[in-house]
Amino acid sequence: MNAPMTLRARAQAPVKEVHQALTDPAAMKVWLAEHAEVEPGRYVFWGRYTPEGETPRQRLSHLDDTSVRFDWTLDGEDTTVELSLAEDGGATIVTLTQTNLPDHGEAIGGGGSRHVMSTYWSMAIANLVDHVEGREITMLCDFTDPAMRVEVLVDAARSEVYQSLIDSEKFRRWFGANVGIEPFVGGRFAMGGFDMDPSPAKVVELEPDSKCVLSWGDGQMTASWELADSGGKTRLTFVQSGFGDTDYGAWLGWMSGVAELRRFLELPNWRPIWVSVDIEGMPEGMLYSDQG
């Protein structure tokens, strides 16, 4: 059996406040799910923002002042999720583990709900951190809608957002992954770096400070972003298409990165929320993390 997936993030809020967000149904409906119920012996969430969310599938096994643990049946398989909180000098370290998931190699391009869990929880925890720090969340993924398009406001100039999306070094800082970008039409976009990505995307459209379109393979798979001024901020429109109607894993990976992009550009003393990431089968050097 694979080792549990582990994600660890830092929220600039006391443990008590983070625990409240984890266990208050009204708060859960902001950062996690369309529907949520928490009562003695019961911790469930479901709806369109939850994989296989037609009905609650969680079974609570433990809840106290610093942790919640539940079993969650996905793809007909039992998994166990635990969220635990630890004080960190006035901040809170949020640690999430989930068992019985495919490793990174199996998850890429794989179908089923268990294949999206690493990026699903990355997005959820990013939302949780923003919520407890008093910020608007980035997005909730609608698992009933195959149209993968979202608009996000970033409180920064359009030129700053553009450079953060097209400059390899800046992109690495906020996305938390090595990447190679050749910022010209016909250039390569290689997740993990040029040496690790044998089939990189190609830049097929590029308009300075405005637009970029990436294409994979025969051109049927694309990801694009457009920038526009909006009330002193920048409206970022991100679209993914051609990856398959249910490839929410890649979509959530992009969007959990956008959550960090917003923080990178908006917070004066920015540091990554991620303390560490441990996903079975992830190639060494693909991701890096803040161990501070």
Side-chain angles (χ1 to χ4, degrees):
M1 181 179 294
N2 292 336
M5 175 191 72
T6 301
L7 304 175
R8 187 170 291 111
R10 179 184 292 105
Q12 297 299 327
V15 168
K16 184 176 181 179
E17 292 183 12
V18 181
H19 184 268
Q20 174 74 7
L22 277 178
T23 56
D24 174 55
M28 293 168 67
K29 292 174 187 177
V30 173
W31 66 269
L32 180 64
E34 185 178 16
H35 308 292
E37 292 180 4
V38 179
E39 56 190 39
R42 182 173 169 83
Y43 183 97
V44 295
F45 51 92
W46 71 101
R48 57 192 172 129
Y49 305 133
T50 304
E52 299 184 39
E54 301 87 354
T55 185
R57 299 180 188 276
Q58 302 83 22
R59 300 176 302 282
L60 181 67
S61 58
H62 178 79
L63 177 61
D64 61 22
D65 291 342
T66 59
S67 65
V68 57
R69 184 172 62 252
F70 54 89
D71 295 325
W72 187 3
T73 301
L74 295 165
D75 304 327
E77 299 274 350
D78 287 336
T79 75
T80 298
V81 177
E82 181 165 2
L83 284 147
S84 61
L85 311 176
E87 196 275 336
D88 182 48
T92 299
I93 300 297
V94 181
T95 300
L96 178 136
T97 63
Q98 186 169 9
T99 66
N100 195 21
L101 300 181
D103 70 20
H104 177 73
E106 294 174 321
I108 293 176
S113 299
R114 292 185 304 140
H115 290 76
V116 308
M117 283 293 105
S118 61
T119 52
Y120 167 80
W121 282 117
S122 295
M123 187 76 254
I125 292 174
N127 285 339
L128 171 64
V129 170
D130 276 334
H131 177 65
V132 298
E133 292 183 0
R135 294 166 47 82
E136 294 289 331
I137 70 166
T138 297
M139 62 93 76
L140 291 167
C141 176
D142 187 342
F143 289 93
T144 69
D145 186 355
M148 298 178 194
R149 182 183 188 278
V150 70
E151 293 185 359
V152 178
L153 283 180
V154 183
D155 192 3
R158 196 151 44 105
S159 60
E160 292 183 79
V161 181
Y162 177 81
Q163 286 300 321
S164 298
L165 286 162
I166 206 66
D167 179 89
S168 295
E169 187 55 41
K170 289 185 177 179
F171 193 104
R172 291 185 193 110
R173 290 189 66 201
W174 60 264
F175 197 74
N178 293 317
V179 66
I181 303 173
E182 295 176 334
F184 51 83
V185 173
R188 295 172 295 169
F189 180 99
M191 193 61 71
F194 297 126
D195 293 338
M196 291 188 65
D197 188 348
S199 303
K202 180 182 290 186
V203 178
V204 294
E205 292 185 48
L206 189 66
E207 298 177 17
D209 295 343
S210 295
K211 182 179 183 180
C212 180
V213 179
L214 303 174
S215 173
W216 283 262
D218 59 2
Q220 298 301 308
M221 298 181 293
T222 64
S224 68
W225 47 261
E226 295 188 43
L227 307 175
D229 296 324
S230 181
K233 301 181 181 181
T234 297
R235 183 174 68 251
L236 166 62
T237 302
F238 195 95
V239 181
Q240 174 181 293
S241 64
F243 288 80
D245 289 346
T246 58
D247 188 12
Y248 297 106
W251 176 238
L252 283 162
W254 280 113
M255 296 314 302
S256 60
V258 169
E260 196 65 30
L261 171 66
R262 292 177 56 230
R263 300 175 65 84
F264 174 69
L265 291 169
E266 294 176 356
L267 299 181
N269 298 309
W270 171 83
R271 67 188 297 189
I273 67 169
W274 302 107
V275 179
S276 66
V277 176
D278 185 2
I279 299 172
E280 184 81 4
M282 177 70 74
E284 186 175 355
M286 180 70 174
L287 293 177
Y288 64 90
S289 60
D290 168 27
Q291 296 294 338

